Amino acid sequence: MNGDASHSKKKPKLSPPEISAEFSHHDPAVARINNGSFGCCPRSVTAAQRDWQHQFLRQPDNFFLNLLQPAISRSRSLVASLVNAPHVDQISLVDNATTAAAIFLQHCAWSFAEGRFNPGDAAVMLHYAYGAVKKSVEAYITRAGGHVIEVDLPFPVKSEDEIITEFRKALAKGKSEGRKVRIAVIDHVTSMPAVVIPVKELVKICREEGVEQVFVDAAHGIGCVDVDVQEIGADFYTSNLHKWFFCPPSVAFLYCRNQSNAGGDTQLQLHHPVVSHEYGNGLPVESGWIGTRDYSAQLVVPSAAEFVERFPGGIDGIKTANHSAVVEMGEMLAKAWGTNLGSPPEMCGSMIMVGLPACLGIGSESDSLKLRTHLRDCFAVEVPIYFNKRRHDRRGEEEAGGVITGYVRISYQVYNKVEDYERLRDAVDKLVNDGFTCASLVEPESD
Amino acid sequence: METSEDHGNGELNHLTKKPRLTRFITESAIADEFAHHQPGVARINNGSFGSCPGSVLSSQREWQLKFLRQPDDFYFNGLRKGILRSRTLVKDLVGAADVEEVSLIDNATTGAAIVLQQIGRAFAEGRFDRNDAVLMFHCAFQAVKKSMEAYVRRAGGSVIEVRLPFPILCDEEIITEFRKGLEKAKSNGRKVRLAIIDHITSMPSVVTPVKELVRICREEGVDQVFVDAAHAIGSVEVNVQEIGADFYVSNLHKWFFCPPSVAFLYCKKSGSSLDAHHPVVSHEYGNGLPTESSWIGTRDYSSQLAVPTAFEFVNSFEGGIRGIMKRNHDEVVKMGEMLAESWGTNLGAPPEMCASMVMVGLPSRLYVTSDDDALRLRSHLRAYYGVEVPIHYQGPRDGEDGVKDEYGIVTAYVRISHQVYNTLDDYCKLRDAINQIVDNKKTCKTLLIE
């Protein structure tokens, strides 16, 4: 009735036409190979969401007083079991990983202001950390007097060892400068370029080196890689549920190892930056009410879980199938274009980086955006393009024509078909055959 | 066929694509627009969560579908244009000088967090001295009070409360208390860094003389003035330049028919507004609050994008938003007076200090003696009479007699709202419910709530 699956019979597995029907609202003309950016939401879940929205609009006072909090609790419990969090009090629901990062980093800013951290203490983060997270670190850490150390990551990357080595180097750098490394912000799957990071190992190293708090940004986590928060061992772990777990925009969870219950020292707790009357009652409760707004995306987590169960193997089955398919498609493209993958298959989840032919002449961020727009407008292909600036800047004179500086990041989700990737393959082949270069593209109109 | 009638905000019509209507929305069309409200409920609490007509909800759904259909295209080609359009309409509505002064955010609660976070930073970074003061009304919205705790007290600032007299007879009472509060705040040579002034208080609800209070703040050297006008837009005239505050926030989903949720935060161009940031930091950090607020990560921005449709809805009424405000006001006062007369009680404030909400005293024989009692009564009215109305407990103040009815001291008030979907029947239901409870000799503590 409310899209709540807990008491209904198990529904049968979805057939291919049924899967198509669930995503029939996607633009049929577009080869949508970018699930990584904004995710997707099947019809049955958006229908459940509308039910919840309707409940609020129908009688908002009753909804607020009697329906909302139990429904949020149900979602939180479900997430706790999905990620193997021992206690539901460790799980808060927030809008997105960007919000979770702000929550954690504001807490760090207070630590500087209140003397738990000292000026010059360090925060370690990956060079390929998400743009929003980097800005958040600037806004909350640098501004508060903290020092930021970036972990240099190689790309293309050949093995996890390369990443582990660079991480150790970054921690050592902090030490050699006489800094205390207070926090580490580690991506589980970097965004651009997309690479699965060996988080478990990195968390272990952090513990060995006495890093107090480890925050794992797993925006691409649940539904894309295995998520077991206890095994990973971080202090904080956040993941979007609207990217790879079929929830509508937008909902994410933030796991906090040390439960933020009411009654604890408010100074030591994390707080939602939008403060409501629930302030001080623990982050999960604070996040459950941040003023009047539409909480429906948080309430349909059970409906999304129900959808997932209609696939063989549930979320694990989907993840495995996505991974195999995206690797297969990636290898198909790399072969067709004579290029390479950005990382080995074991360092990919449901996304993979595939080198674009060097002759396309991607020489800047702007080029990659222009090319992306061109693919959208002229070939109806939606795929993000990564400009590998460092490789571009490092290229020698003799290499000039042959260095791969651009990569597509292809995603595979249950609605994708081989034709989507063939269309991309053929589009790029055509551009190459036509002697196309990015230099020939006009600056796109800015919005 | 164009008419020469001024719709109050007729200059906005050219921004929408629909042709000008020659006839106004009918009663039955209004009922249709709100057909999704639960039937059988006397919904006299528009003040808490607002309301949204079907046509605006449809527009919102279209935006949601656009995103789901092709989110990348939506993000790159549609989103910012749509938000700018909404911001521009709001800027014209509230008389802001520049659209760069107008940001769209989730709600007034978020607005308070933005303003108070930058105050907290100033304390933490030593730009304000420890114990410099921030002033607010004692009945400020609970979220704002907690935000003061989270950002001001925590960073070492001191918080001074101004008592809002209630029941109240005139603006002067508020002005007097406010001046007293400012004196206290400035005592010991403290600097008053911020004053938070409600344009319309929440509980108990009163329209304050905000222009006058802002003027007094300027006279007395208060650094920044923040007007929490959660209820204002769509229930009172709003001209942000005339009001003259540094920050002004109002919810568009309360009285301006937008879906949950969207509010605007006006920041006067000046030094302090440059340090106002959205607490959820994205790659737009540093590009100005309006731009920061327009992208705070992947989420549903459709309520912000549906704002133009709310303007269209408002313009389909005679007199546009001004017509709606006037009729709401006249009706809610009329209903309030009807209830007060039937119950033998009083209004909590004179009509000129009310907008679309009125506080009406409840019979003393209900013996409301605590917030819990008030909540109990409210739940009982919802469960047994299908009436939704918030109730305010007004405890007795030392040394004061309090307002009396025939049987004792009036300790509680209902806050009734009137919006375009309300009918006389709604208020009759409330009137009769209370009378029945009193006639049955029931007091709050004995009421069933299941």
Side-chain angles (χ1 to χ4, degrees):
Chain A
M1 257 184 319
N2 294 333
D4 173 8
S6 43
H7 303 295
S8 56
K9 261 188 1 211
K10 260 213 162 106
K11 292 199 176 126
K13 303 294 181 212
L14 287 165
S15 64
E18 283 174 325
I19 296 172
S20 293
E22 284 280 4
F23 295 98
S24 56
H25 53 282
H26 287 191
D27 188 342
V30 174
R32 183 169 165 149
I33 40 190
N34 186 23
N35 195 75
S37 281
F38 299 105
C40 63
C41 186
R43 278 187 183 283
S44 48
V45 178
T46 52
Q49 186 190 21
R50 262 200 300 282
D51 279 347
W52 283 111
Q53 289 167 336
H54 185 74
Q55 294 263 27
F56 173 84
L57 294 165
R58 183 178 155 79
Q59 217 296 42
D61 300 80
N62 182 55
F63 182 89
F64 167 68
L65 290 165
N66 299 319
L67 301 180
L68 180 61
Q69 295 313 319
I72 289 183
S73 291
R74 254 198 308 275
S75 291
R76 285 170 53 212
S77 295
L78 185 48
V79 170
S81 63
L82 276 167
V83 304
N84 195 27
H87 207 292
V88 70
D89 282 349
Q90 295 170 313
I91 301 291
S92 304
L93 295 182
V94 296
D95 273 352
N96 44 43
T98 299
T99 306
I103 289 172
F104 169 67
L105 293 168
Q106 177 168 248
H107 176 65
C108 295
W110 279 119
S111 295
F112 279 101
E114 291 166 344
R116 289 185 296 280
F117 294 173
N118 300 313
D121 282 354
V124 166
M125 72 177 176
L126 306 185
H127 172 69
Y128 295 122
Y130 192 59
V133 174
K134 284 191 153 181
K135 286 288 186 180
S136 213
V137 167
E138 184 188 317
Y140 286 116
I141 304 284
T142 309
R143 181 159 182 177
H147 177 85
V148 179
I149 300 174
E150 283 194 6
V151 178
D152 223 345
L153 285 187
F155 186 78
V157 63
K158 291 198 200 62
S159 76
E160 292 184 349
D161 283 338
E162 292 183 38
I163 296 178
I164 292 169
T165 303
E166 289 300 327
F167 193 77
R168 284 198 187 278
K169 263 172 41 189
L171 286 181
K173 179 161 187 264
K175 236 185 189 160
S176 74
E177 291 172 359
R179 298 183 189 282
K180 180 104 183 74
V181 177
R182 294 287 185 179
I183 69 167
V185 175
I186 306 173
D187 300 62
H188 194 155
V189 181
T190 50
S191 176
M192 279 298 232
V195 170
V196 177
I197 304 290
V199 277
K200 219 170 110 172
E201 281 71 19
L202 297 188
V203 172
K204 221 159 57 89
I205 293 167
C206 284
R207 300 304 181 206
E208 286 165 13
E209 299 294 319
V211 175
E212 284 180 24
Q213 295 182 47
V214 182
F215 177 88
V216 173
D217 174 4
H220 289 280
I222 194 159
C224 178
V225 287
D226 285 326
V227 177
D228 181 325
V229 292
Q230 290 191 70
E231 239 195 59
I232 291 165
D235 300 286
F236 305 96
Y237 188 100
T238 185
S239 186
N240 287 326
L241 295 167
H242 53 265
K243 267 198 203 290
W244 296 96
F245 201 74
F246 305 103
C247 288
S250 66
V251 53
F253 72 87
L254 172 57
Y255 158 82
C256 302
R257 196 163 66 136
N258 296 321
Q259 301 165 28
S260 328
N261 280 332
D265 183 345
T266 45
Q267 280 202 355
L268 297 180
Q269 287 179 9
L270 264 62
H271 295 283
H272 199 291
V274 177
V275 177
S276 79
H277 65 274
E278 297 285 11
Y279 180 73
N281 291 337
L283 183 64
V285 173
E286 288 185 13
S287 305
W289 187 258
I290 51 173
T292 299
R293 51 185 311 237
D294 185 347
Y295 294 89
S296 62
Q298 297 186 6
L299 307 179
V300 294
V301 178
S303 304
E306 192 185 68
F307 175 77
V308 150
E309 285 312 309
R310 301 194 67 194
F311 290 80
I315 193 61
D316 286 332
I318 292 173
K319 212 182 333 132
T320 308
N322 281 351
H323 174 74
S324 304
V326 87
V327 169
E328 195 188 317
M329 294 299 102
E331 286 172 345
M332 184 259 295
L333 292 170
K335 184 155 173 221
W337 299 335
T339 60
N340 57 289
L341 299 181
S343 67
E346 58 272 18
M347 293 181 75
C348 302
S350 307
M351 300 182 290
I352 200 164
M353 305 300 291
V354 186
L356 283 165
C359 61
L360 292 177
I362 299 164
S364 64
E365 283 284 347
S366 168
D367 280 350
S368 66
L369 197 57
K370 283 195 292 192
L371 178 56
R372 176 181 183 175
T373 306
H374 187 72
L375 284 172
R376 180 188 307 119
D377 293 346
C378 301
F379 295 94
V381 171
E382 188 61 60
V383 70
I385 298 174
Y386 171 68
F387 168 60
N388 193 357
K389 184 176 192 316
R390 288 155 141 211
R391 186 65 189 90
H392 173 267
D393 291 350
R394 266 188 1 239
R395 73 199 192 289
E397 277 301 320
E398 70 284 3
E399 292 182 292
V403 171
I404 292 172
T405 52
Y407 287 76
V408 285
R409 183 186 77 183
I410 61 169
S411 297
Y412 193 99
Q413 187 45 297
V414 299
Y415 55 81
N416 283 118
K417 307 231 175 338
V418 177
E419 293 79 65
D420 297 331
Y421 307 86
E422 289 173 343
R423 193 178 329 167
L424 170 62
R425 175 198 64 198
D426 298 344
V428 170
D429 282 344
K430 180 170 188 338
L431 291 176
V432 169
N433 290 337
D434 289 352
F436 168 96
T437 64
C438 286
S440 67
L441 287 171
V442 195
E443 272 306 317
E445 294 276 308
S446 55
D447 193 338
Chain B
M1 202 172 22
E2 299 268 304
T3 70
S4 56
E5 272 216 45
D6 173 33
H7 283 233
N9 37 18
E11 72 274 10
L12 300 169
N13 280 323
H14 75 279
L15 286 168
T16 66
K17 293 209 175 81
K18 274 168 110 179
R20 276 273 287 262
L21 299 170
T22 52
R23 273 190 302 144
F24 303 118
I25 188 170
T26 61
E27 286 298 318
S28 72
I30 295 171
D32 276 345
E33 287 278 12
F34 294 98
H36 54 278
H37 285 190
Q38 185 170 352
V41 171
R43 183 169 165 148
I44 40 189
N45 186 24
N46 195 75
S48 282
F49 299 104
S51 54
C52 186
S55 49
V56 179
L57 293 172
S58 291
S59 161
Q60 186 194 19
R61 254 196 307 280
E62 273 177 38
W63 284 108
Q64 287 168 338
L65 281 171
K66 245 194 185 135
F67 174 86
L68 293 171
R69 185 176 160 81
Q70 218 296 41
D72 301 80
D73 185 41
F74 181 88
Y75 171 75
F76 283 107
N77 299 323
L79 180 62
R80 276 174 191 72
K81 266 203 284 266
I83 290 186
L84 180 59
R85 184 154 168 253
S86 297
R87 284 170 53 209
T88 306
L89 286 173
V90 170
K91 166 233 171 205
D92 289 339
L93 180 65
V94 304
D98 191 333
V99 74
E100 286 311 308
E101 294 176 319
V102 177
S103 304
L104 294 183
I105 54 178
D106 274 353
N107 45 42
T109 299
T110 304
I114 290 172
V115 174
L116 291 172
Q117 196 193 45
Q118 51 107 29
I119 294 283
R121 253 199 303 271
F123 275 105
E125 292 172 356
R127 284 177 280 123
F128 295 170
D129 292 332
R130 267 194 95 74
N131 291 320
D132 275 354
V134 176
L135 194 72
M136 69 176 178
F137 281 109
H138 87 280
C139 60
F141 196 60
Q142 187 60 359
V144 175
K145 288 188 145 180
K146 287 291 186 178
S147 216
M148 289 281 246
E149 198 182 306
Y151 290 114
V152 176
R153 279 208 190 86
R154 182 170 182 177
S158 61
V159 177
I160 307 295
E161 291 190 358
V162 172
R163 190 180 74 93
L164 182 89
F166 187 82
I168 190 168
L169 290 167
C170 63
D171 284 348
E172 265 314 307
E173 295 186 50
I174 296 180
I175 291 167
T176 304
E177 285 297 322
F178 194 77
R179 283 195 184 280
K180 271 187 0 209
L182 265 179
E183 279 295 311
K184 184 164 170 217
K186 287 167 80 174
S187 64
N188 304 328
R190 275 189 300 214
K191 196 106 181 64
V192 182
R193 295 296 183 177
L194 176 77
I196 303 181
I197 304 172
D198 297 61
H199 192 153
I200 302 177
T201 54
S202 175
M203 277 301 230
S205 185
V206 163
V207 178
T208 67
V210 65
K211 250 190 272 189
E212 181 71 11
L213 296 178
V214 174
R215 204 182 55 77
I216 292 169
C217 285
R218 299 304 184 202
E219 273 173 15
E220 299 292 320
V222 173
D223 267 9
Q224 298 178 37
V225 182
F226 168 46
V227 174
D228 176 3
H231 285 276
I233 195 84
S235 64
V236 286
E237 283 288 336
V238 174
N239 184 312
V240 292
Q241 291 192 71
E242 272 182 31
I243 290 167
D246 298 286
F247 302 99
Y248 187 101
V249 73
S250 190
N251 287 328
L252 290 158
H253 53 265
K254 266 197 204 290
W255 295 96
F256 209 79
F257 305 103
C258 289
S261 66
V262 51
F264 73 88
L265 174 60
Y266 161 82
C267 303
K268 188 154 72 161
K269 269 188 173 165
S270 75
S272 31
S273 68
L274 292 177
D275 198 35
H277 291 282
H278 199 293
V280 177
V281 176
S282 79
H283 67 275
E284 297 285 11
Y285 181 71
N287 291 337
L289 185 63
T291 302
E292 288 185 12
S293 305
S294 72
W295 187 258
I296 51 173
T298 299
R299 50 185 311 239
D300 185 349
Y301 294 90
S302 64
S303 52
Q304 296 184 9
L305 299 166
V307 170
T309 322
F311 276 81
E312 277 178 30
F313 177 75
V314 152
N315 289 342
S316 69
F317 285 77
E318 183 172 0
I321 192 60
R322 288 208 179 91
I324 292 173
M325 292 193 309
K326 178 170 189 334
R327 287 188 294 275
N328 277 345
H329 173 74
D330 291 346
E331 281 305 305
V332 85
V333 167
K334 200 163 119 191
M335 294 299 103
E337 286 170 344
M338 171 195 62
L339 293 170
E341 193 185 307
S342 174
W343 298 338
T345 58
N346 58 304
L347 298 186
E352 60 271 18
M353 292 183 80
C354 300
S356 308
M357 300 185 289
V358 158
M359 305 296 290
V360 186
L362 282 167
S364 62
R365 282 183 289 173
L366 289 170
Y367 293 108
V368 179
T369 62
S370 65
D371 289 327
D372 277 347
D373 282 351
L375 201 57
R376 202 175 179 83
L377 176 56
R378 176 178 184 177
S379 302
H380 182 79
L381 286 169
R382 180 186 307 116
Y384 284 83
Y385 291 94
V387 172
E388 187 62 60
V389 70
I391 301 175
H392 169 70
Y393 165 63
Q394 180 71 24
R397 270 177 61 83
D398 292 334
E400 280 183 15
D401 274 341
V403 173
K404 290 196 173 85
D405 64 11
E406 199 186 325
Y407 302 91
I409 300 175
V410 171
T411 55
Y413 291 75
V414 286
R415 184 186 76 186
I416 59 170
S417 296
H418 187 283
Q419 188 45 298
V420 300
Y421 55 80
N422 284 118
T423 62
L424 171 62
D425 197 55
D426 295 332
Y427 307 88
C428 292
K429 266 176 102 163
L430 170 62
R431 175 197 65 198
D432 299 342
I434 294 293
N435 283 336
Q436 188 172 90
I437 293 170
V438 169
D439 288 345
N440 291 345
K441 306 225 184 326
K442 296 252 180 249
T443 64
C444 283
K445 290 179 171 51
T446 64
L447 291 172
L448 299 169
I449 57 175
E450 292 306 324

